Coordinates of all heavy atoms in Angstrom, one line a residue:
G1 N 16.0 -5.2 9.2 CA 16.1 -3.8 9.5 C 16.1 -3.5 11.0 O 15.8 -4.4 11.8
E2 N 16.4 -2.3 11.3 CA 16.4 -1.9 12.7 C 14.9 -1.6 13.2 O 14.1 -1.0 12.4 CB 17.2 -0.6 12.9 CG 18.7 -0.8 12.7 CD 19.5 0.5 12.9 OE1 19.0 1.3 13.7 OE2 20.5 0.6 12.2
T3 N 14.6 -2.0 14.4 CA 13.3 -1.7 15.0 C 13.3 -0.2 15.4 O 14.2 0.2 16.1 CB 13.0 -2.6 16.1 OG1 13.1 -4.0 15.7 CG2 11.7 -2.3 16.8
T4 N 12.3 0.5 15.1 CA 12.2 1.9 15.5 C 11.4 2.0 16.8 O 11.6 3.1 17.5 CB 11.4 2.7 14.4 OG1 10.1 2.2 14.3 CG2 12.1 2.7 13.1
G5 N 10.6 1.0 17.2 CA 9.9 1.1 18.4 C 8.6 1.9 18.2 O 7.8 2.0 19.2
V6 N 8.3 2.4 17.0 CA 7.1 3.1 16.8 C 5.9 2.1 16.7 O 6.0 1.1 16.0 CB 7.1 3.9 15.4 CG1 5.8 4.6 15.1 CG2 8.3 4.9 15.5
I7 N 4.8 2.4 17.4 CA 3.6 1.6 17.4 C 2.5 2.4 16.9 O 2.2 3.5 17.3 CB 3.3 1.1 18.8 CG1 4.5 0.2 19.4 CG2 2.0 0.3 18.9 CD1 4.4 -0.2 20.8
F8 N 1.8 1.8 15.9 CA 0.6 2.4 15.3 C -0.6 1.9 16.2 O -0.8 0.7 16.2 CB 0.4 2.0 13.9 CG 1.4 2.7 12.9 CD1 2.6 2.1 12.6 CD2 1.1 3.9 12.4 CE1 3.4 2.7 11.7 CE2 1.9 4.5 11.5 CZ 3.1 3.9 11.2
T9 N -1.3 2.8 16.8 CA -2.4 2.5 17.6 C -3.7 2.4 16.7 O -3.7 2.8 15.5 CB -2.7 3.5 18.7 OG1 -2.8 4.8 18.1 CG2 -1.5 3.5 19.7
H10 N -4.7 1.8 17.3 CA -6.0 1.6 16.5 C -6.5 3.0 15.9 O -6.5 4.0 16.6 CB -7.1 1.1 17.5 CG -8.4 0.9 16.8 ND1 -8.7 -0.1 15.9 CD2 -9.5 1.7 16.9 CE1 -9.9 0.0 15.5 NE2 -10.4 1.1 16.1
G11 N -6.8 2.9 14.7 CA -7.3 4.1 14.0 C -6.2 4.9 13.3 O -6.5 5.8 12.6
T12 N -4.9 4.5 13.5 CA -3.9 5.2 12.8 C -3.9 4.9 11.3 O -4.1 3.8 10.9 CB -2.5 4.8 13.3 OG1 -2.4 5.1 14.7 CG2 -1.4 5.5 12.6
T13 N -3.7 5.9 10.5 CA -3.7 5.8 9.0 C -2.3 6.1 8.5 O -1.7 7.0 8.9 CB -4.7 6.7 8.4 OG1 -6.0 6.5 8.8 CG2 -4.6 6.6 6.9
A14 N -1.8 5.2 7.7 CA -0.5 5.3 7.1 C -0.6 4.8 5.7 O -1.3 3.9 5.4 CB 0.6 4.6 7.8
H15 N 0.2 5.4 4.8 CA 0.1 5.0 3.4 C 1.3 4.1 3.0 O 2.4 4.5 3.4 CB 0.1 6.2 2.5 CG -1.2 7.0 2.7 ND1 -2.4 6.7 2.1 CD2 -1.4 8.1 3.4 CE1 -3.3 7.6 2.5 NE2 -2.7 8.4 3.3
A16 N 1.1 3.0 2.3 CA 2.1 2.1 2.0 C 2.2 2.0 0.5 O 1.2 2.1 -0.2 CB 1.9 0.7 2.6
D17 N 3.4 1.8 0.0 CA 3.6 1.7 -1.5 C 4.1 0.3 -1.9 O 4.3 0.0 -3.1 CB 4.5 2.8 -2.0 CG 5.9 2.7 -1.4 OD1 6.3 1.7 -0.8 OD2 6.6 3.8 -1.5
D18 N 4.2 -0.6 -0.9 CA 4.6 -2.0 -1.2 C 4.0 -2.9 -0.1 O 3.9 -2.4 1.0 CB 6.1 -2.1 -1.3 CG 6.5 -3.5 -2.0 OD1 5.7 -4.2 -2.5 OD2 7.7 -3.8 -1.9
H19 N 3.8 -4.1 -0.5 CA 3.2 -5.1 0.5 C 3.9 -6.4 0.2 O 4.0 -6.9 -0.9 CB 1.7 -5.2 0.3 CG 1.1 -6.3 1.0 ND1 0.5 -7.4 0.3 CD2 1.0 -6.6 2.3 CE1 0.0 -8.2 1.2 NE2 0.3 -7.8 2.4
Q20 N 4.3 -7.1 1.3 CA 4.9 -8.4 1.1 C 4.4 -9.3 2.3 O 4.1 -8.8 3.3 CB 6.4 -8.4 1.2 CG 7.1 -7.7 0.0 CD 8.6 -7.7 0.1 OE1 9.2 -8.4 0.9 NE2 9.2 -6.8 -0.7
V21 N 4.3 -10.6 2.0 CA 3.8 -11.5 3.0 C 5.0 -12.4 3.4 O 5.7 -12.9 2.6 CB 2.7 -12.4 2.5 CG1 2.3 -13.4 3.6 CG2 1.5 -11.5 2.1
I22 N 5.2 -12.5 4.7 CA 6.3 -13.4 5.3 C 5.6 -14.4 6.1 O 4.8 -14.2 7.0 CB 7.2 -12.5 6.2 CG1 7.9 -11.5 5.3 CG2 8.3 -13.4 6.9 CD1 8.7 -10.5 6.1
M23 N 6.0 -15.7 5.9 CA 5.5 -16.8 6.7 C 6.4 -16.9 8.0 O 7.6 -16.9 7.9 CB 5.5 -18.1 5.9 CG 4.7 -18.0 4.7 SD 3.0 -17.3 4.9 CE 2.3 -18.7 5.8
H24 N 5.8 -17.0 9.1 CA 6.5 -17.0 10.4 C 6.0 -18.2 11.3 O 4.8 -18.4 11.5 CB 6.2 -15.7 11.2 CG 6.8 -15.7 12.6 ND1 8.1 -15.7 12.8 CD2 6.2 -15.6 13.8 CE1 8.3 -15.7 14.1 NE2 7.2 -15.6 14.7
T25 N 7.0 -19.0 11.7 CA 6.6 -20.2 12.6 C 6.4 -19.7 14.0 O 7.4 -19.1 14.6 CB 7.7 -21.2 12.6 OG1 7.9 -21.6 11.2 CG2 7.4 -22.4 13.4
V26 N 5.2 -19.8 14.5 CA 4.9 -19.3 15.9 C 5.1 -20.4 16.9 O 5.1 -20.1 18.1 CB 3.5 -18.7 15.9 CG1 3.4 -17.5 15.1 CG2 2.4 -19.7 15.5
D27 N 5.1 -21.7 16.5 CA 5.3 -22.7 17.5 C 6.2 -23.8 16.9 O 5.8 -24.5 16.0 CB 3.9 -23.3 17.9 CG 3.9 -24.4 19.0 OD1 5.0 -24.9 19.2 OD2 2.9 -24.6 19.6
Q28 N 7.4 -23.9 17.4 CA 8.4 -24.8 16.9 C 7.9 -26.3 17.1 O 8.2 -27.1 16.2 CB 9.7 -24.6 17.6 CG 10.3 -23.3 17.3 CD 10.7 -23.1 15.9 OE1 11.0 -24.0 15.1 NE2 10.7 -21.8 15.4
T29 N 7.2 -26.6 18.2 CA 6.7 -27.9 18.4 C 5.7 -28.4 17.4 O 5.8 -29.5 16.8 CB 6.2 -28.0 19.9 OG1 7.2 -27.6 20.8 CG2 5.8 -29.5 20.2
S30 N 4.7 -27.6 17.3 CA 3.6 -28.0 16.4 C 3.9 -27.6 14.9 O 3.2 -28.1 14.0 CB 2.3 -27.3 16.8 OG 2.3 -25.9 16.6
G31 N 4.8 -26.6 14.7 CA 5.0 -26.2 13.4 C 4.0 -25.2 12.9 O 4.0 -24.9 11.7
A32 N 3.2 -24.6 13.8 CA 2.2 -23.7 13.4 C 2.8 -22.4 12.8 O 3.8 -21.9 13.3 CB 1.4 -23.2 14.6
V33 N 2.3 -22.0 11.6 CA 2.8 -20.9 10.9 C 1.7 -19.9 10.7 O 0.5 -20.2 10.5 CB 3.3 -21.4 9.5 CG1 3.8 -20.3 8.6 CG2 4.4 -22.4 9.7
V34 N 2.1 -18.6 10.7 CA 1.1 -17.5 10.4 C 1.7 -16.7 9.3 O 3.0 -16.6 9.1 CB 0.8 -16.6 11.6 CG1 0.0 -17.4 12.7 CG2 2.0 -16.0 12.2
A35 N 0.9 -16.0 8.5 CA 1.3 -15.1 7.5 C 1.4 -13.7 8.1 O 0.4 -13.2 8.8 CB 0.4 -15.1 6.3
I36 N 2.5 -13.0 8.0 CA 2.7 -11.6 8.5 C 2.7 -10.7 7.3 O 3.5 -10.9 6.4 CB 3.9 -11.5 9.3 CG1 3.9 -12.4 10.5 CG2 4.1 -10.0 9.7 CD1 5.2 -12.4 11.3
N37 N 1.8 -9.7 7.3 CA 1.8 -8.7 6.2 C 2.8 -7.6 6.6 O 2.7 -7.0 7.6 CB 0.4 -8.1 6.0 CG -0.5 -9.2 5.5 OD1 -0.5 -9.5 4.3 ND2 -1.5 -9.6 6.3
M38 N 3.7 -7.4 5.6 CA 4.7 -6.3 5.8 C 4.3 -5.2 4.8 O 4.0 -5.5 3.6 CB 6.1 -6.8 5.5 CG 6.6 -7.9 6.4 SD 6.8 -7.4 8.1 CE 8.2 -6.2 7.9
Y39 N 4.4 -3.9 5.2 CA 4.0 -2.8 4.4 C 5.2 -1.8 4.4 O 5.6 -1.4 5.5 CB 2.7 -2.1 4.9 CG 1.6 -3.1 4.9 CD1 1.3 -3.8 6.1 CD2 0.8 -3.3 3.8 CE1 0.3 -4.7 6.2 CE2 -0.3 -4.2 3.9 CZ -0.5 -4.9 5.0 OH -1.6 -5.8 5.1
R40 N 5.6 -1.4 3.2 CA 6.6 -0.3 3.1 C 5.9 1.0 3.2 O 5.1 1.3 2.3 CB 7.5 -0.5 1.9 CG 8.6 0.6 1.8 CD 9.5 0.4 0.7 NE 8.8 0.5 -0.6 CZ 9.2 0.1 -1.7 NH1 10.4 -0.5 -1.8 NH2 8.5 0.3 -2.8
L41 N 6.2 1.9 4.1 CA 5.6 3.2 4.3 C 6.0 4.1 3.1 O 7.2 4.2 2.8 CB 5.9 3.8 5.6 CG 5.4 3.0 6.8 CD1 6.0 3.6 8.1 CD2 3.9 2.9 6.8
S42 N 5.0 4.8 2.6 CA 5.3 5.6 1.4 C 6.2 6.8 1.7 O 6.9 7.3 0.8 CB 3.9 6.2 0.9 OG 3.1 5.1 0.4
D43 N 6.3 7.2 3.0 CA 7.1 8.4 3.3 C 8.6 8.0 3.5 O 9.4 8.8 3.8 CB 6.6 9.0 4.6 CG 6.7 8.1 5.9 OD1 7.3 7.0 5.8 OD2 6.3 8.6 6.9
G44 N 8.9 6.7 3.2 CA 10.3 6.3 3.3 C 10.8 6.0 4.7 O 12.0 5.7 4.8
S45 N 10.0 6.0 5.7 CA 10.4 5.8 7.1 C 10.6 4.4 7.4 O 11.1 4.1 8.5 CB 9.5 6.5 8.0 OG 8.2 5.9 8.0
G46 N 10.3 3.4 6.6 CA 10.5 2.0 6.8 C 9.3 1.2 6.5 O 8.5 1.5 5.7
W47 N 9.3 0.0 7.2 CA 8.3 -1.0 7.1 C 7.5 -1.2 8.4 O 8.0 -1.0 9.4 CB 8.9 -2.3 6.7 CG 9.5 -2.4 5.3 CD1 10.6 -1.8 4.9 CD2 8.9 -3.0 4.2 NE1 10.9 -2.1 3.6 CE2 9.8 -2.8 3.1 CE3 7.8 -3.7 3.9 CZ2 9.6 -3.3 1.8 CZ3 7.5 -4.2 2.7 CH2 8.4 -4.0 1.6
V48 N 6.2 -1.5 8.2 CA 5.4 -1.9 9.4 C 4.8 -3.3 9.1 O 4.7 -3.7 8.0 CB 4.3 -0.9 9.7 CG1 4.9 0.5 10.1 CG2 3.3 -0.7 8.5
H49 N 4.4 -3.9 10.2 CA 3.7 -5.3 10.0 C 2.5 -5.3 10.9 O 2.2 -4.4 11.7 CB 4.7 -6.4 10.5 CG 5.1 -6.3 11.9 ND1 4.3 -6.7 12.9 CD2 6.2 -5.8 12.5 CE1 4.9 -6.5 14.1 NE2 6.0 -6.0 13.9
D50 N 1.7 -6.3 10.6 CA 0.4 -6.5 11.3 C 0.4 -7.6 12.3 O -0.6 -8.1 12.7 CB -0.8 -6.6 10.3 CG -0.7 -7.9 9.5 OD1 0.3 -8.6 9.6 OD2 -1.6 -8.2 8.8
Y51 N 1.6 -8.1 12.7 CA 1.7 -9.2 13.5 C 1.6 -8.8 15.0 O 2.3 -7.9 15.5 CB 3.1 -9.9 13.3 CG 3.3 -11.1 14.2 CD1 2.5 -12.2 14.1 CD2 4.3 -11.1 15.1 CE1 2.7 -13.4 14.9 CE2 4.5 -12.2 15.9 CZ 3.7 -13.3 15.8 OH 3.9 -14.4 16.6
N52 N 0.8 -9.5 15.7 CA 0.6 -9.3 17.2 C 1.1 -10.6 17.9 O 0.4 -11.6 17.8 CB -0.8 -9.0 17.5 CG -1.0 -8.8 19.0 OD1 -0.2 -9.1 19.8 ND2 -2.2 -8.3 19.4
P53 N 2.3 -10.6 18.5 CA 2.8 -11.8 19.1 C 1.9 -12.4 20.2 O 2.0 -13.5 20.6 CB 4.2 -11.4 19.7 CG 4.1 -9.9 19.8 CD 3.2 -9.4 18.7
Y54 N 1.1 -11.5 20.8 CA 0.2 -12.0 21.9 C -1.1 -12.6 21.3 O -1.8 -13.3 22.0 CB -0.2 -10.8 22.8 CG 1.0 -10.1 23.3 CD1 1.4 -8.9 22.9 CD2 1.8 -10.8 24.3 CE1 2.6 -8.3 23.4 CE2 3.0 -10.2 24.8 CZ 3.4 -8.9 24.3 OH 4.5 -8.4 24.8
M55 N -1.4 -12.3 20.0 CA -2.5 -12.9 19.3 C -2.1 -13.3 17.9 O -2.5 -12.7 17.0 CB -3.7 -11.9 19.3 CG -4.2 -11.6 20.7 SD -5.5 -10.3 20.6 CE -6.7 -11.0 19.5
P56 N -1.2 -14.3 17.8 CA -0.6 -14.6 16.5 C -1.6 -15.0 15.4 O -1.3 -14.8 14.2 CB 0.4 -15.7 16.7 CG 0.1 -16.2 18.1 CD -0.7 -15.2 18.8
N57 N -2.8 -15.5 15.8 CA -3.8 -15.9 14.8 C -4.8 -14.8 14.5 O -5.8 -15.1 13.8 CB -4.4 -17.2 15.2 CG -3.4 -18.3 15.2 OD1 -2.6 -18.4 14.2 ND2 -3.4 -19.2 16.2
A58 N -4.6 -13.6 15.1 CA -5.6 -12.5 14.9 C -5.6 -12.1 13.4 O -4.6 -12.2 12.7 CB -5.2 -11.4 15.8
M59 N -6.8 -11.6 13.0 CA -6.9 -11.2 11.6 C -6.1 -9.9 11.5 O -5.8 -9.2 12.4 CB -8.4 -10.9 11.3 CG -9.2 -12.1 11.3 SD -8.8 -13.3 10.1 CE -9.3 -12.5 8.6
S60 N -5.7 -9.6 10.2 CA -5.0 -8.4 9.9 C -5.7 -7.2 10.4 O -6.9 -7.1 10.3 CB -4.8 -8.3 8.4 OG -4.2 -7.1 8.1
V61 N -4.9 -6.2 10.9 CA -5.5 -4.9 11.3 C -5.7 -4.0 10.2 O -6.2 -2.9 10.3 CB -4.7 -4.3 12.4 CG1 -4.6 -5.2 13.7 CG2 -3.2 -4.0 11.9
V62 N -5.2 -4.4 9.0 CA -5.2 -3.5 7.8 C -6.5 -3.7 7.0 O -6.9 -4.9 6.8 CB -4.0 -3.8 7.0 CG1 -4.0 -2.9 5.7 CG2 -2.7 -3.5 7.8
N63 N -7.1 -2.7 6.6 CA -8.3 -2.8 5.7 C -7.8 -2.9 4.3 O -7.6 -1.9 3.6 CB -9.2 -1.5 5.9 CG -10.5 -1.7 5.1 OD1 -10.5 -2.4 4.1 ND2 -11.5 -1.1 5.6
H64 N -7.5 -4.1 3.8 CA -6.9 -4.3 2.5 C -7.9 -3.9 1.4 O -7.4 -3.4 0.4 CB -6.6 -5.8 2.3 CG -5.5 -6.3 3.1 ND1 -4.2 -6.1 2.8 CD2 -5.5 -6.9 4.3 CE1 -3.4 -6.6 3.7 NE2 -4.1 -7.1 4.7
E65 N -9.2 -4.1 1.6 CA -10.1 -3.7 0.5 C -10.1 -2.2 0.3 O -10.1 -1.8 -0.9 CB -11.5 -4.2 0.9 CG -12.5 -4.2 -0.3 CD -12.0 -5.0 -1.5 OE1 -11.5 -6.1 -1.3 OE2 -12.1 -4.6 -2.6
R66 N -10.1 -1.4 1.3 CA -10.1 0.0 1.2 C -8.8 0.4 0.6 O -8.7 1.3 -0.3 CB -10.3 0.7 2.5 CG -10.5 2.2 2.4 CD -11.0 2.8 3.6 NE -10.2 2.4 4.8 CZ -10.6 2.7 6.0 NH1 -11.6 3.4 6.3 NH2 -9.8 2.3 7.1
A67 N -7.7 -0.2 1.0 CA -6.4 0.1 0.4 C -6.3 -0.2 -1.1 O -5.8 0.6 -1.9 CB -5.3 -0.6 1.2
R68 N -6.8 -1.4 -1.4 CA -6.9 -1.8 -2.8 C -7.7 -0.8 -3.7 O -7.3 -0.4 -4.8 CB -7.4 -3.2 -2.9 CG -7.3 -3.8 -4.3 CD -7.8 -5.2 -4.3 NE -7.1 -6.0 -3.4 CZ -7.7 -6.7 -2.3 NH1 -9.0 -6.6 -2.2 NH2 -7.0 -7.4 -1.5
A69 N -8.8 -0.4 -3.2 CA -9.7 0.6 -3.9 C -9.0 1.9 -4.0 O -9.1 2.5 -5.1 CB -11.0 0.8 -3.1
A70 N -8.2 2.4 -3.0 CA -7.5 3.6 -3.1 C -6.4 3.5 -4.2 O -6.2 4.5 -4.9 CB -6.9 4.0 -1.8
R71 N -5.7 2.4 -4.2 CA -4.6 2.2 -5.2 C -5.2 2.2 -6.6 O -4.7 2.8 -7.5 CB -3.9 0.9 -4.9 CG -2.9 1.0 -3.8 CD -1.9 -0.2 -3.8 NE -2.6 -1.5 -3.8 CZ -3.0 -2.1 -2.7 NH1 -2.8 -1.6 -1.5 NH2 -3.7 -3.3 -2.7
E72 N -6.3 1.5 -6.8 CA -7.0 1.5 -8.1 C -7.5 2.9 -8.5 O -7.3 3.2 -9.7 CB -8.1 0.5 -8.1 CG -8.8 0.3 -9.5 CD -7.8 0.0 -10.6 OE1 -6.9 -0.7 -10.4 OE2 -8.0 0.5 -11.7
A73 N -8.0 3.6 -7.6 CA -8.5 5.0 -7.9 C -7.3 5.9 -8.3 O -7.4 6.6 -9.3 CB -9.2 5.6 -6.7
A74 N -6.1 5.7 -7.6 CA -4.9 6.5 -8.0 C -4.4 6.1 -9.4 O -4.0 6.9 -10.2 CB -3.9 6.3 -6.9
R75 N -4.4 4.8 -9.7 CA -4.0 4.3 -11.0 C -4.9 4.8 -12.1 O -4.4 5.3 -13.1 CB -3.9 2.8 -11.0 CG -2.7 2.2 -10.4 CD -2.5 0.7 -10.7 NE -3.5 -0.1 -10.1 CZ -3.3 -0.7 -8.9 NH1 -2.2 -0.5 -8.2 NH2 -4.2 -1.5 -8.3
E76 N -6.2 4.8 -11.8 CA -7.2 5.3 -12.8 C -7.0 6.8 -13.1 O -7.0 7.3 -14.2 CB -8.6 5.0 -12.4 CG -9.6 5.5 -13.4 CD -9.4 5.0 -14.8 OE1 -9.0 3.8 -15.0 OE2 -9.7 5.7 -15.8
A77 N -6.7 7.6 -12.0 CA -6.5 9.0 -12.1 C -5.2 9.2 -13.0 O -5.2 10.1 -13.8 CB -6.4 9.7 -10.8
E78 N -4.2 8.4 -12.7 CA -2.9 8.6 -13.5 C -3.2 8.2 -15.0 O -2.7 8.9 -15.9 CB -1.8 7.7 -12.9 CG -0.5 7.8 -13.7 CD 0.0 9.3 -13.8 OE1 -0.2 10.1 -12.9 OE2 0.5 9.6 -14.9
R79 N -4.0 7.2 -15.2 CA -4.3 6.8 -16.6 C -5.1 7.9 -17.3 O -4.8 8.2 -18.5 CB -5.1 5.5 -16.7 CG -4.3 4.3 -16.4 CD -5.0 3.0 -16.7 NE -6.1 2.7 -15.8 CZ -6.1 2.0 -14.6 NH1 -5.0 1.4 -14.3 NH2 -7.1 1.8 -13.9
E80 N -6.0 8.5 -16.6 CA -6.8 9.6 -17.2 C -5.9 10.8 -17.5 O -6.0 11.5 -18.5 CB -8.0 10.0 -16.3 CG -8.8 11.1 -16.8 CD -9.4 10.9 -18.2 OE1 -9.8 9.7 -18.5 OE2 -9.5 11.8 -19.0
A81 N -5.0 11.1 -16.6 CA -4.0 12.2 -16.8 C -3.2 11.9 -18.0 O -2.9 12.8 -18.8 CB -3.2 12.4 -15.6
E82 N -2.8 10.7 -18.2 CA -1.9 10.3 -19.4 C -2.8 10.5 -20.6 O -2.3 11.0 -21.7 CB -1.4 8.9 -19.2 CG -0.6 8.4 -20.4 CD 0.7 9.2 -20.6 OE1 1.2 9.8 -19.6 OE2 1.2 9.3 -21.7
R83 N -4.0 10.0 -20.6 CA -4.9 10.2 -21.8 C -5.1 11.7 -22.1 O -5.0 12.1 -23.3 CB -6.3 9.6 -21.6 CG -6.2 8.0 -21.6 CD -7.6 7.4 -21.6 NE -8.3 7.6 -20.3 CZ -8.3 6.7 -19.3 NH1 -7.6 5.6 -19.4 NH2 -9.0 7.0 -18.2
E84 N -5.2 12.5 -21.1 CA -5.4 14.0 -21.3 C -4.1 14.6 -21.9 O -4.2 15.4 -22.9 CB -5.7 14.7 -20.0 CG -6.0 16.1 -20.2 CD -7.2 16.4 -21.1 OE1 -8.2 15.6 -21.1 OE2 -7.1 17.4 -21.8
R85 N -2.9 14.1 -21.5 CA -1.7 14.6 -22.1 C -1.5 14.1 -23.5 O -1.1 14.9 -24.4 CB -0.5 14.0 -21.3 CG -0.3 14.7 -19.9 CD 1.0 14.3 -19.2 NE 1.1 12.9 -18.8 CZ 0.6 12.5 -17.6 NH1 0.1 13.3 -16.8 NH2 0.7 11.2 -17.3
E86 N -2.0 12.9 -23.8 CA -1.9 12.4 -25.2 C -2.9 13.2 -26.1 O -2.5 13.6 -27.2 CB -2.3 10.9 -25.3 CG -1.2 10.1 -24.7 CD -1.6 8.6 -24.5 OE1 -2.8 8.3 -24.8 OE2 -0.8 7.8 -24.1
R87 N -4.1 13.5 -25.6 CA -5.0 14.4 -26.4 C -4.5 15.7 -26.6 O -4.6 16.3 -27.8 CB -6.4 14.5 -25.6 CG -7.2 13.2 -25.7 CD -8.7 13.5 -25.2 NE -8.7 13.7 -23.8 CZ -8.9 12.8 -22.9 NH1 -9.0 11.5 -23.3 NH2 -9.0 13.0 -21.6
A88 N -3.8 16.3 -25.6 CA -3.3 17.7 -25.8 C -2.1 17.6 -26.8 O -2.0 18.6 -27.6 CB -2.8 18.2 -24.5
A89 N -1.3 16.6 -26.8 CA -0.2 16.5 -27.7 C -0.7 16.3 -29.2 O 0.0 16.7 -30.1 CB 0.7 15.4 -27.3
A90 N -1.8 15.6 -29.3 CA -2.3 15.3 -30.6 C -3.2 16.4 -31.2 O -3.5 16.4 -32.4 CB -3.2 14.0 -30.6
A91 N -3.6 17.4 -30.4 CA -4.4 18.4 -30.9 C -3.7 19.3 -31.9 O -2.5 19.6 -31.7 CB -4.9 19.3 -29.7
P92 N -4.3 19.8 -32.9 CA -3.7 20.7 -33.9 C -3.3 22.0 -33.2 O -4.0 22.5 -32.3 CB -4.7 20.9 -35.0 CG -6.0 20.6 -34.4 CD -5.7 19.6 -33.3
P93 N -2.2 22.7 -33.6 CA -1.9 23.9 -33.0 C -2.9 25.0 -33.4 O -3.6 24.9 -34.4 CB -0.5 24.3 -33.7 CG -0.5 23.5 -34.9 CD -1.3 22.3 -34.7
P94 N -3.1 26.0 -32.5 CA -4.1 27.0 -32.8 C -3.7 27.8 -34.1 O -2.5 28.0 -34.4 CB -4.0 28.0 -31.6 CG -2.8 27.6 -30.8 CD -2.4 26.2 -31.3
A95 N -4.7 28.1 -34.9 CA -4.5 28.8 -36.1 C -4.0 30.2 -35.9 O -4.4 30.9 -34.9 CB -5.8 28.9 -36.9
A96 N -3.1 30.7 -36.7 CA -2.6 32.0 -36.6 C -3.6 33.0 -37.0 O -4.3 32.8 -38.0 CB -1.3 32.2 -37.4
D97 N -3.8 34.1 -36.4 CA -4.8 35.1 -36.6 C -4.5 35.8 -38.0 O -5.4 35.9 -38.8 CB -4.9 36.1 -35.5 CG -6.0 37.1 -35.7 OD1 -6.7 37.0 -36.7 OD2 -6.2 37.9 -34.8
G98 N -3.3 36.1 -38.2 CA -2.9 36.8 -39.4 C -3.4 38.2 -39.6 O -3.0 38.8 -40.5
G99 N -4.3 38.6 -38.8 CA -4.8 40.0 -38.9 C -3.8 41.0 -38.3 O -3.2 40.8 -37.3
G100 N -3.7 42.1 -38.9 CA -2.8 43.2 -38.4 C -3.5 44.4 -38.0 O -2.9 45.4 -37.7
G101 N -4.8 44.4 -38.0 CA -5.5 45.5 -37.4 C -6.4 46.2 -38.3 O -6.7 46.7 -39.2

């Protein structure tokens, strides 16, 4: 894809809806390889990565545990909403009053 030149600085929060890992050779002589995490931004603006060419072995800047917990909470909320829709669909219709006054 095309590089946008946008840089996320420390503390920036962005939401991603997909994650892929790409293996990248950082040293042709030694064959050293690092894993680069790629994230597709939920707003559709593209992908971001956590690779720092000046510190190729640095740990990911992404808090995966917090992101995983947020995804699980969203999934659980959707499951609960689905259960609520199923309960509403299975409920008997309200009884007709039948009274005319």
